[in-house]
Amino acid sequence: MEQHNKDANPQAQTIQDLLFLKSFLENNLEQHTEKEKLHIQTMQDGLVFLRSFLENNRDQRNHLEELQALRSRIVEVAHKTEFVIDSLIVGDVSFYSLMLFDKVTEEIKLLKTKTWEFDCIKAQKPANSSRDVPQGSKWTGAFHQVPSQGNISTIHKTSVYLKDQEQAIIDQLIGGSMQLDIISIVGMPGLGKTFLAQRVYHDPSIASHFHILAWCCISQVYCKKDLLLVILGCIDPKAEYSDMDEDDLAHKLCNHLRKQKYLIVLDDVWDIEAWNALKISFPDYANGSRIISTSRHHGITGKPHHLRPLDEEESWELLKKKLSITIEGGYPVELSVLGRQIAKNCNGLPLSIVIISGILGTLDQGRWGEVAERLDSNSKIGATEQCKSILELSYIHLPDHLKPCLLYFSAFREDQEISVKRLMWLWIAEGFVRKKESECPEKLAEGYLIALINRSLVMEGQKRSIGGVKTCHIHDLLHVFCLGKAKDKKFLHLIQGCDGFLNFDEPHYLYRLSIHSQPKHVAKSKILCPHVRSLLHSSCGIGSRGVSYTLSFVCHLKLLQVLDLEQINLGFTFLCELGLLIQLRYLAVSGWIKYIPPSLENLSNLETFCVTTYYSDFVLSSLEEIFWILQKLRHLQVRGALIDLRLAKENPESSCMLYNLHTFSTPKLYLGQSMEKMMMKFPNIRRLKCCLLQSEESSSESTRIVAMESLSQLESLKLLLGKVPANCIKFHLPLNLKKLTLEDFSWSVICTIRKLPNLEALKLIRQADGEKEWDMGDIEYMEEEEIFPKLKFLKLESLKMVRWMGSGEHFPSLERLILVGCAELEELPSCLWETFTLQLIEVHGCLYSAGDSVRDIKKQQMDYGNMDLKILISEEVDESSSWSDGDSDGWLPEEIEESSSSSEIHTDDQANDHLP
């Protein structure tokens, strides 16, 4: 299969090799030639010539055998060149590298001669010789590309689901015996087991029936401790359990579930051992608790519910809906015959249908017949094999700049929810994102992700409050495919578990190494891969913070560009030798870190630096000195600590300008005139989280100003105000701000916030004053017609207000309202009754009267025709109870929702912590 596809699409392989050379020249040779002034002009000129040769022969189908041989040699010598140049850059002037330098130069000269000979032979041979065209070459050629930029289409939101099977499972969960019952959804890969479980899990009748809901993905490789931590995280997301052992975690989970009616979903169970490891933690109090498992294997546990494939009509309906959204102008009716044939040959697998829709949406409609013919010829190989064939076909038709982005998912664990922010930063560091002067790399990377989602290859996870995707993942079948493809193309090598190190035989010119193993196994391995450029670690189990590891061998991997050790506790001593890795573009570390060594100032290429320290409210020392030196730094993210960042008193202008800084978390910023000067040092910042403090110059009220209006690019801002008297602060915020979070704020700030014309998301967490009333209809607010004109997301948490009033043109764009722990709030403002943009209201830990107010809003909205509004009410408290001493057994979860509604709403951050 693999060989056939290589032969069937030599053009795609040529383009991919060409892209490697382009990326290499842009990101390595040209950069180093200018910076290091090495005498490599001859070598560079030779590679530029060879790149032009590939460009001129990218559509060449004749002379296939000769071209493939030349192409392979060109790519091989390019890899050797990169190794030689980078070795010299990092100071590894060994006898081997110098010898290889001369050898590579000679190889480039020889290849130039070979290309001239090839061009002469090509000129003498007749074009379009049929005997040189391989079988299956009809799959090459142009096709329409889904734009990399733009919004995520609604293709992923369209679904044809088996309502009868969904309702049958819901009936089993709600009805039946009061004893603990286990329902196992069983079926082949790609049949939609997880999708069906998700629909049941999110059904309003389920949310209102169970007190506790938790979702845990197990997969083939799992760790019991990790699974227990995931379930506990769903139940109590703010607690810290990582230092507990497995037995204590199992006991803790059992206590949480005691006398509670719970629903636990165990997704992707492979064997009985996984169930045996967890079942002791699921008590049976004969209260109607339930467990759902999904598995491709029969007879593991529980009552099997065999998921059937889609029939021909259901398959056609699903494909038609996907294509209606994918194709500009809607689905063409004249292609119904071909469409039905294609849908039928997907063997009833929803995964195959959505993947094939992504292919058809990019092809000229005249070429649909080729797809139908290809699928028809493979229709007898079985549903799972057919699905794999479709995945291969989808990969072939991906634009070449998206192929490495897709294969990179093989570096992560199966079924892992991946932070989109982290993924895009890694893509940029790896050189996958093409350089464009007019656009920032993050926007381009976001466009790449959107393109993969619109092709149904990547699935969305959590959503952001201001729109966009917060986490993403791929189907486990696609993950297996990407692993195999990455290995075949020497794109990435994976080590899994302890045995993976024993069997590890370093491939020649290993580029990327991903390790899925416990930290202790990594520490013992002492890997030595002199060619490796990327080293990523992902722990199969969440290790204890009490055990630290020394990974000094990493400092010998001098060509590293990406180093991700975020899941390994490096202890108290930050490796000073990391400063020798001068090629690093991405560095992520964690541990009991107090001090950043000055040697890191040598990392002049560093673009992303993520530090996690296990201390709380701690100032990370010496980082502020390095900060101003790293001119290429785009993202500095510090968790668990603060950076005491100050300008020099004698000369504030002496600190460098950081024009590239895009993300910054978490500096201490001092109120006063110095803040304005500080803000001017990173004029292009887009995301900022900071802690405000008082200084000597801010002793008088007149100088307590948050001066940020100069940050014209700032979109997301989080201010921690707990260390200053918030009621004495004046806020000068940029008008382009889209997302704002205030912690320990004074209510007086609302007068400033409501004027922000582009604010889309607002989170107000913990009041610092005793204000009990928010009246949006008073004279002060009546100065303008609309308050919060573009606000879509509003979260109010742990506020002291009792009355919230307002009518008229308030919140004209509000879609989601989240109230958490506002234990004194009696009712919601009447303006929400006529806010027809509302999609979701969540109320947690508030008074019964506030819940009644939300129910009234729901009824009123239904009367006005808004049938899509969801409300979720849980943990209601009586007026006689206080928030601190409420009895959890008396909290009544309730969700009111029209049973016919099929819309799904996800909230941001902790708004839906009980959801997977």
Side-chain angles (χ1 to χ4, degrees):
M1 180 71 181
E2 173 67 20
Q3 185 60 43
H4 170 74
N5 285 313
K6 284 181 180 177
D7 295 341
N9 200 6
Q11 180 194 18
Q13 184 64 38
T14 302
I15 295 173
Q16 191 165 350
D17 296 336
L18 178 60
L19 285 173
F20 164 75
L21 271 178
K22 283 184 176 180
S23 174
F24 172 52
L25 288 171
E26 290 173 358
N27 296 325
N28 292 280
L29 282 182
E30 293 171 1
Q31 168 191 330
H32 296 326
T33 301
E34 179 181 356
K35 181 180 177 182
E36 306 295 336
K37 295 181 173 59
L38 296 172
H39 302 292
I40 57 171
Q41 192 64 47
T42 302
M43 189 179 292
Q44 178 173 332
D45 291 344
L47 284 180
V48 171
F49 175 86
L50 296 176
R51 181 182 69 181
S52 300
F53 170 79
L54 287 181
E55 286 177 337
N56 295 334
N57 290 277
R58 62 191 302 173
D59 297 321
Q60 181 62 240
R61 297 183 187 177
N62 298 324
H63 317 280
L64 183 62
E65 186 175 341
E66 300 98 317
L67 180 61
Q68 284 182 334
L70 266 175
R71 184 179 62 218
S72 297
R73 291 188 64 183
I74 290 172
V75 173
E76 182 179 352
V77 77
H79 280 291
K80 288 181 181 179
T81 305
E82 187 181 21
F83 169 71
V84 171
I85 299 302
D86 284 346
S87 296
L88 296 176
I89 292 297
V90 301
D92 184 19
V93 190
S94 62
F95 174 76
Y96 172 73
S97 62
L98 291 175
M99 182 180 66
L100 195 57
F101 186 95
D102 295 333
K103 184 178 180 181
V104 168
T105 304
E106 291 301 317
E107 286 187 30
I108 291 176
K109 291 180 181 178
L110 180 61
L111 279 174
K112 289 176 67 175
T113 303
K114 291 290 184 182
T115 58
W116 287 328
E117 294 175 356
F118 178 85
D119 286 337
C120 292
I121 297 172
K122 181 179 69 174
Q124 297 171 5
K125 195 169 183 177
N128 300 322
S129 176
S130 60
R131 66 185 179 88
D132 290 319
V133 180
Q135 294 294 318
S137 61
K138 61 187 177 182
W139 286 100
T140 61
F143 53 87
H144 294 306
Q145 294 186 9
V146 176
S148 293
Q149 294 293 331
N151 296 322
I152 297 173
S153 75
T154 53
I155 182 171
H156 59 288
K157 300 175 184 176
T158 305
S159 59
V160 173
Y161 57 93
L162 303 175
K163 187 63 180 178
D164 57 333
Q165 299 201 37
E166 181 181 333
Q167 191 58 49
I169 295 176
I170 290 174
D171 291 343
Q172 285 182 267
L173 294 174
I174 295 178
S177 170
M178 295 300 292
Q179 302 298 318
L180 177 64
D181 198 8
I182 306 167
I183 300 168
S184 181
I185 303 175
V186 180
M188 69 181 72
L191 203 52
K193 302 181 294 296
T194 299
F195 177 75
L196 178 59
Q198 286 174 338
R199 287 199 60 84
V200 170
Y201 187 86
H202 292 291
D203 188 272
S205 61
I206 296 299
S208 62
H209 184 77
F210 293 95
H211 303 147
I212 291 178
L213 295 99
W215 184 288
C216 177
C217 186
I218 295 180
S219 299
Q220 192 169 5
V221 179
Y222 63 88
C223 167
K224 178 182 176 181
K225 179 177 180 179
D226 203 10
L227 300 180
L228 291 168
L229 286 169
V230 168
I231 298 173
L232 283 166
C234 292
I235 299 171
D236 189 3
K238 295 183 179 180
E240 177 57 56
Y241 300 112
S242 60
D243 288 334
M244 298 173 65
D245 60 28
E246 289 181 359
D247 292 338
D248 290 338
L249 287 171
H251 182 68
K252 176 68 71 173
L253 176 57
C254 188
N255 283 340
H256 271 294
L257 299 178
R258 189 179 304 277
K259 297 183 180 180
Q260 299 288 333
K261 187 189 296 184
Y262 60 83
L263 170 63
I264 310 292
V265 178
L266 305 177
D267 187 33
D268 200 14
V269 181
W270 278 74
D271 51 49
I272 190 65
E273 283 77 12
W275 166 247
N276 289 337
L278 293 174
K279 65 180 182 180
I280 192 175
S281 299
F282 303 140
D284 183 3
Y285 287 99
N287 60 357
S289 293
R290 300 286 186 262
I291 292 172
I292 296 177
S293 71
T294 70
S295 178
R296 61 183 66 181
H297 302 297
H298 299 260
I300 291 181
T301 185
K303 302 174 183 176
H305 183 98
H306 300 280
L307 192 58
R308 64 171 175 84
L310 300 177
D311 60 32
E312 289 187 21
E313 195 59 34
E314 290 167 335
S315 298
W316 169 231
E317 283 298 315
L318 177 56
L319 181 60
K320 189 164 57 174
K321 285 188 176 183
K322 296 290 186 184
L323 292 174
S324 295
I325 297 168
T326 307
I327 299 176
E328 186 177 350
Y331 171 72
V333 179
E334 61 271 17
L335 293 177
S336 292
V337 174
L338 280 176
R340 282 184 174 275
Q341 181 183 348
I342 291 170
K344 177 183 177 181
N345 286 331
C346 286
N347 293 312
L349 287 184
L351 177 63
S352 295
I353 294 170
V354 297
I355 295 295
I356 208 69
S357 72
I359 300 173
L360 296 176
T362 62
L363 286 175
D364 290 324
Q365 295 172 13
R367 299 187 60 216
W368 283 26
E370 299 175 9
V371 179
E373 182 181 344
R374 174 69 172 267
L375 292 182
D376 189 56
S377 65
N378 291 335
S379 60
K380 298 180 180 179
I381 62 176
T384 302
E385 291 301 316
Q386 176 74 305
C387 186
K388 293 178 182 178
S389 175
I390 290 172
L391 290 175
E392 179 72 43
L393 193 60
S394 182
Y395 177 79
I396 289 174
H397 284 83
L398 265 183
D400 291 279
H401 65 280
L402 295 182
K403 288 181 178 177
C405 297
L406 179 64
L407 293 185
Y408 205 71
F409 280 88
S410 62
F412 302 95
R413 299 192 310 275
E414 183 181 333
D415 295 315
Q416 180 180 347
E417 281 289 325
I418 304 163
S419 164
V420 166
K421 182 172 61 176
R422 177 193 176 203
L423 178 66
M424 292 193 299
W425 293 352
L426 284 167
W427 280 354
I428 294 168
E430 294 281 4
F432 299 157
V433 179
R434 296 176 180 176
K435 295 180 178 179
K436 285 187 180 180
E437 292 183 2
S438 59
E439 291 190 73
C440 70
E442 290 76 16
K443 289 292 183 184
L444 292 172
E446 183 182 15
Y448 290 9
L449 180 64
I450 290 172
L452 290 172
I453 291 175
N454 286 340
R455 284 173 169 79
S456 298
L457 293 171
V458 176
M459 293 179 280
E460 293 180 82
Q462 299 178 43
K463 311 291 180 60
R464 294 196 177 278
S465 58
I466 58 174
V469 188
K470 186 173 184 179
T471 63
C472 65
H473 61 281
I474 61 174
H475 193 277
D476 51 2
L477 268 184
L478 183 56
H479 188 269
V480 172
F481 170 84
C482 289
L483 269 177
K485 185 69 68 176
K487 183 178 180 181
D488 291 342
K489 293 186 173 296
K490 299 180 176 60
F491 175 84
L492 178 141
H493 187 86
L494 175 66
I495 294 178
Q496 286 186 294
C498 180
D499 294 339
F501 291 103
L502 298 176
N503 303 322
F504 177 58
D505 184 14
E506 180 192 342
H508 194 50
Y509 292 113
L510 175 67
Y511 230 75
R512 298 177 185 88
L513 180 61
S514 180
I515 301 173
H516 298 177
S517 180
Q518 294 184 31
K520 61 182 180 181
H521 298 148
V522 182
K524 292 179 181 178
S525 66
K526 303 193 183 302
I527 296 171
L528 184 60
C529 307
H531 299 87
V532 72
R533 308 305 169 92
S534 300
L535 178 61
L536 304 100
H537 169 262
S538 178
S539 179
C540 297
I542 301 174
S544 171
R545 292 183 175 183
V547 181
S548 61
Y549 301 92
T550 301
L551 303 179
S552 55
F553 70 88
V554 171
C555 302
H556 298 291
L557 310 179
K558 293 186 178 181
L559 302 185
L560 278 176
Q561 296 174 351
V562 172
L563 179 59
D564 190 342
L565 301 176
E566 199 165 26
Q567 293 191 27
I568 297 181
N569 179 4
L570 297 180
F572 298 90
T573 306
F574 197 103
L575 292 172
C576 297
E577 293 83 359
L578 286 178
L580 299 174
L581 306 181
I582 62 175
Q583 297 285 69
L584 276 180
R585 301 174 188 168
Y586 181 103
L587 175 61
V589 293
S590 67
W592 295 95
I593 298 172
K594 291 184 177 181
Y595 175 75
I596 302 297
S599 61
L600 261 65
E601 69 181 30
N602 297 325
L603 305 183
S604 58
N605 293 308
L606 195 62
E607 297 174 348
T608 301
F609 188 21
C610 302
V611 182
T612 300
T613 177
Y614 302 148
Y615 293 102
S616 59
D617 197 18
F618 177 76
V619 177
L620 197 61
S621 62
S622 79
L623 183 55
E624 66 274 8
E625 300 171 9
I626 301 167
F627 175 74
W628 301 108
I629 299 174
L630 302 177
Q631 286 291 297
K632 290 187 179 180
L633 197 63
R634 297 186 65 82
H635 309 285
L636 176 57
Q637 182 170 282
V638 178
R639 297 191 184 98
L642 301 173
I643 309 168
D644 196 351
L645 199 62
R646 300 195 190 204
L647 299 174
K649 287 184 178 180
E650 61 279 2
N651 184 12
E653 308 300 327
S654 62
S655 298
C656 297
M657 298 284 287
L658 297 176
Y659 292 102
N660 292 309
L661 195 63
H662 184 284
T663 305
F664 194 8
S665 170
T666 307
K668 285 184 175 182
L669 295 181
Y670 293 86
L671 294 170
Q673 294 179 353
S674 63
M675 174 177 284
E676 188 172 3
K677 293 187 175 93
M678 179 71 75
M679 294 298 100
M680 296 179 68
K681 293 297 181 181
F682 27 89
N684 297 314
I685 190 106
R686 293 177 183 269
R687 298 174 60 87
L688 175 62
K689 175 184 176 182
C690 56
C691 177
L692 296 187
L693 293 96
Q694 283 189 282
S695 62
E696 295 176 2
E697 62 178 298
S698 65
S699 57
S700 64
E701 288 190 21
S702 59
T703 56
R704 291 176 185 171
I705 299 175
V706 179
M708 295 186 176
E709 65 270 34
S710 64
L711 302 179
S712 60
Q713 303 297 315
L714 189 64
E715 295 181 354
S716 178
L717 173 64
K718 183 172 184 178
L719 294 175
L720 311 178
L721 305 170
K723 298 182 183 296
V724 293
N727 59 329
C728 299
I729 299 176
K730 293 182 180 180
F731 292 85
H732 295 175
L733 302 178
L735 297 179
N736 52 284
L737 198 63
K738 292 183 178 180
K739 180 178 179 180
L740 177 63
T741 301
L742 300 177
E743 292 190 6
D744 302 301
F745 69 99
S746 171
W747 205 255
S748 59
V749 73
I750 300 296
C751 297
T752 301
I753 295 173
R754 68 183 180 91
K755 299 176 183 179
L756 295 174
N758 296 303
L759 192 65
E760 297 180 10
L762 174 62
K763 299 179 183 179
L764 300 174
I765 303 173
R766 293 188 303 275
Q767 279 179 251
D769 57 14
E771 183 64 44
K772 297 288 186 179
E773 186 174 289
W774 184 9
D775 186 358
M776 297 187 296
D778 61 16
I779 296 176
E780 184 179 10
Y781 284 109
M782 291 300 288
E783 295 175 0
E784 300 178 19
E785 285 190 10
E786 292 184 352
I787 297 177
F788 301 104
K790 291 188 178 181
L791 196 69
K792 297 179 180 179
F793 180 94
L794 176 60
K795 181 178 182 180
L796 308 177
E797 182 176 345
S798 301
L799 304 188
K800 302 174 184 177
M801 66 175 178
V802 177
R803 288 174 296 278
W804 181 11
M805 299 167 288
S807 61
E809 297 293 328
H810 307 321
F811 306 121
S813 304
L814 191 63
E815 296 176 358
R816 290 179 284 170
L817 172 62
I818 315 296
L819 302 176
V820 180
C822 299
E824 300 178 55
L825 180 63
E826 295 175 351
E827 61 180 348
L828 277 65
S830 59
C831 63
L832 297 176
W833 292 34
E834 298 179 3
T835 305
F836 303 122
T837 55
L838 273 174
Q839 299 174 4
L840 172 72
I841 301 178
E842 286 195 32
V843 180
H844 306 283
C846 296
L847 295 174
Y848 282 103
S849 59
D852 290 337
S853 180
V854 172
R855 296 179 187 96
D856 289 340
I857 292 173
K858 169 70 175 179
K859 293 175 183 177
Q860 186 70 38
Q861 292 266 347
M862 290 177 63
D863 290 342
Y864 284 134
N866 182 9
M867 310 300 291
D868 294 329
L869 174 61
K870 281 188 174 183
I871 68 172
L872 179 61
I873 305 171
S874 64
E875 302 175 355
E876 293 182 274
V877 295
D878 190 88
E879 291 187 27
S880 60
S881 303
S882 67
W883 175 244
S884 60
D885 60 5
D887 183 1
S888 61
D889 291 336
W891 295 343
L892 301 176
E894 176 181 0
E895 180 170 353
I896 301 176
E897 168 62 21
E898 290 297 294
S899 59
S900 61
S901 173
S902 60
S903 62
E904 293 185 21
I905 308 295
H906 301 277
T907 58
D908 183 77
D909 298 332
Q910 282 78 40
N912 258 350
D913 286 326
H914 61 283
L915 300 182

